[in-house]
C-alpha cells in the first residue's frame, strides 16, 4: 500500500491542520515573551516635564513635583484602573477633597485632572484630523495626556492656573494597555 492509497481527503487534511495548530500553539507558548510594558514612573516624569513646558509657553510659572501629591495621584490612578472608570469621584463616593484636602491647610487649594488613553494599541477617533493614533512609548503617552487636557477647556484652565506651586502625577495601566492618569496641583505651602 502506497502513500496515495492511505490519503483520505478531509480526514488527512483535518489531521494535518490539527498538527499545524498544535505546533504553532506550542511555539507561541514556549517562544520568547516580549516585554511591551509601560514605565509608568517615566510617564509621570514626562507629564510633569510636558506640563511645565506648556505652562511656560502660556506664561504660567513652573510647578515643582511633590511626593505627597504624587502618591495621592498614583492611588487615584490605580483606583480608576482597578475599577474601570475615569472621574474625580470614586465609585465608593470618595471626592478629591479627601485625597488633597490637606493641601488646603494653611490657606491653599488644589486641583485635579484625570484622563485615560491606551499604550501600544490603535486608538481610533472618528472626528479628528488624525483618525488613528498609536502611542508606542512613554513620551508619546505623556504628550498625548497633556494634549488631551489642553484640548478640554476645564482641564486646560486647571493645568494653566497661575496659583499652583506643586504638582503630583500618577499613572496606572489596566487591561488592554489602558492607561489611567491623574494630575494633581496644589497652591498652598506644603511640608516637604
Amino acid at each position: 500500500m502506497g502513500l496515495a492509497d492511505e490519503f483520505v481527503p478531509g480526514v488527512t487534511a483535518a489531521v494535518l491542520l490539527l498538527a499545524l495548530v498544535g505546533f504553532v500553539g506550542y511555539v507561541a507558548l514556549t517562544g520568547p515573551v516580549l516585554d511591551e510594558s509601560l514605565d509608568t514612573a517615566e510617564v509621570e516624569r514626562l507629564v510633569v516635564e510636558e506640563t511645565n513646558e506648556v505652562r511656560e509657553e502660556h506664561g504660567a510659572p513652573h510647578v515643582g513635583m511633590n511626593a505627597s501629591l504624587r502618591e495621592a495621584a498614583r492611588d487615584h490612578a490605580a483606583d480608576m484602573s482597578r475599577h474601570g472608570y475615569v472621574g474625580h469621584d470614586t465609585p465608593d463616593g470618595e471626592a478629591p477633597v479627601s485625597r488633597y484636602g490637606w493641601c488646603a491647610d494653611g490657606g491653599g487649594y488644589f486641583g485635579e485632572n484625570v484622563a485615560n488613553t491606551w499604550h501600544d494599541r490603535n486608538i481610533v477617533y472618528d472626528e479628528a484630523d488624525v483618525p488613528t493614533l498609536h502611542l508606542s512609548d512613554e513620551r508619546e503617552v505623556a504628550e498625548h495626556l497633556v494634549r488631551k487636557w489642553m484640548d478640554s477647556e476645564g482641564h486646560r484652565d486647571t493645568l494653566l492656573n497661575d496659583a499652583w506651586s506643586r504638582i503630583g502625577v500618577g499613572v496606572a495601566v489596566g487591561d488592554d494597555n489602558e492607561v489611567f492618569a491623574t494630575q494633581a496641583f496644589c497652591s498652598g505651602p506644603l511640608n516637604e
Side-chain angles (χ1 to χ4, degrees), residues 61-95:
H62 277 226
V63 287
M65 204 286 298
N66 175 267
S68 297
L69 282 172
R70 181 183 60 211
E71 287 308 309
R74 282 179 173 172
D75 289 347
H76 187 57
D79 189 71
M80 291 191 299
S81 174
R82 199 171 27 259
H83 294 100
Y85 72 97
V86 178
H88 299 287
D89 294 341
T90 70
D92 298 334
E94 179 186 79

Side-chain angles (χ1 to χ4, degrees), residues 3-187:
L3 185 58
D5 295 331
E6 294 178 21
F7 180 76
V8 179
V11 173
T12 303
V15 168
L16 288 173
L17 182 60
L18 186 59
L20 179 63
V21 168
F23 176 74
V24 170
Y26 172 77
V27 170
L29 290 175
T30 60
V33 176
L34 300 176
D35 183 8
E36 307 257 346
S37 63
L38 188 68
D39 182 345
T40 55
E42 179 65 2
V43 175
E44 293 167 355
R45 186 190 72 73
L46 290 167
V47 166
V48 172
E49 181 181 286
E50 288 290 320
T51 297
N52 276 321
E53 287 177 15
V54 168
R55 288 175 61 83
E56 184 177 333
E57 289 169 10
H58 290 85
H62 277 226
V63 287
M65 204 286 298
N66 175 267
S68 297
L69 282 172
R70 181 183 60 211
E71 287 308 309
R74 282 179 173 172
D75 289 347
H76 187 57
D79 189 71
M80 291 191 299
S81 174
R82 199 171 27 259
H83 294 100
Y85 72 97
V86 178
H88 299 287
D89 294 341
T90 70
D92 298 334
E94 179 186 79
V97 69
S98 62
R99 289 188 291 280
Y100 315 113
W102 49 267
C103 176
D105 295 345
Y109 63 101
F110 62 87
E112 177 184 74
N113 284 333
V114 295
N116 71 318
T117 191
W118 284 265
H119 168 252
D120 203 29
R121 183 174 152 193
N122 287 343
I123 307 166
V124 179
Y125 293 102
D126 292 332
E127 299 176 17
D129 294 335
V130 180
T132 303
L133 190 61
H134 188 93
L135 308 173
S136 59
D137 64 26
E138 288 77 7
R139 180 161 298 281
E140 289 177 353
V141 170
E143 288 173 351
H144 183 67
L145 288 167
V146 173
R147 190 175 327 110
K148 280 181 78 165
W149 287 321
M150 288 299 290
D151 287 345
S152 163
E153 185 178 350
H155 294 102
R156 177 187 173 97
D157 291 347
T158 300
L159 195 148
L160 297 177
N161 188 322
D162 285 343
W164 305 138
S165 60
R166 296 289 180 258
I167 187 174
V169 175
V171 173
V173 181
D175 296 335
D176 298 326
N177 286 340
E178 186 173 7
V179 177
F180 296 85
T182 303
Q183 182 184 52
F185 296 94
C186 183
S187 69

